[in-house]
Amino acid sequence: GMDERGAPLPGMHFIDYEYVECRADMQLYRESYWAKPDYDHLRRLMREAYENRQEWKAAALEGSQIVREKYTWAALGQRIRERIAAVS
């Protein structure tokens, strides 16, 4: 999840990636691109989480609380209604 500025919520981390051409033979995927994760970046994040468990756990709990409060069906429905009213 992201906040209003596009930054990850507490306890959530974006993994670096690069766009690569999809090599699948299926028609659906021809001429499309996928995000290939940067495994070195992922490895560094996993190491950091392992070495700083308590801090990462506290941040993850904070982020999960935000998600549980902000992304309920009722809250999302309200945001959609407000957006529709704003563009109507």
Side-chain angles (χ1 to χ4, degrees):
M2 297 182 292
D3 67 11
E4 290 76 18
R5 298 168 288 125
L9 293 174
M12 298 178 193
H13 301 269
F14 296 142
I15 299 170
D16 292 343
Y17 64 91
E18 67 174 318
Y19 282 117
V20 295
E21 191 169 352
C22 177
R23 295 188 199 137
D25 290 332
M26 295 176 57
Q27 177 68 32
L28 175 65
Y29 297 116
R30 290 195 182 130
E31 299 181 23
S32 65
Y33 290 83
W34 288 3
K36 179 183 175 187
D38 179 334
Y39 295 113
D40 289 330
H41 185 232
L42 174 59
R43 189 177 302 114
R44 287 191 305 273
L45 289 173
M46 291 177 73
R47 172 58 62 186
E48 187 178 330
Y50 176 77
E51 292 175 352
N52 300 289
R53 286 183 209 101
Q54 293 306 319
E55 293 88 354
W56 278 56
K57 181 178 180 179
L61 290 171
E62 181 183 349
S64 70
Q65 184 64 36
I66 293 169
V67 168
R68 283 182 299 212
E69 291 171 0
K70 206 172 180 185
Y71 296 99
T72 64
W73 285 111
L76 290 173
Q78 182 60 35
R79 288 173 61 194
I80 290 169
R81 284 189 294 279
E82 290 169 2
R83 182 67 184 137
I84 290 171
V87 299
S88 297

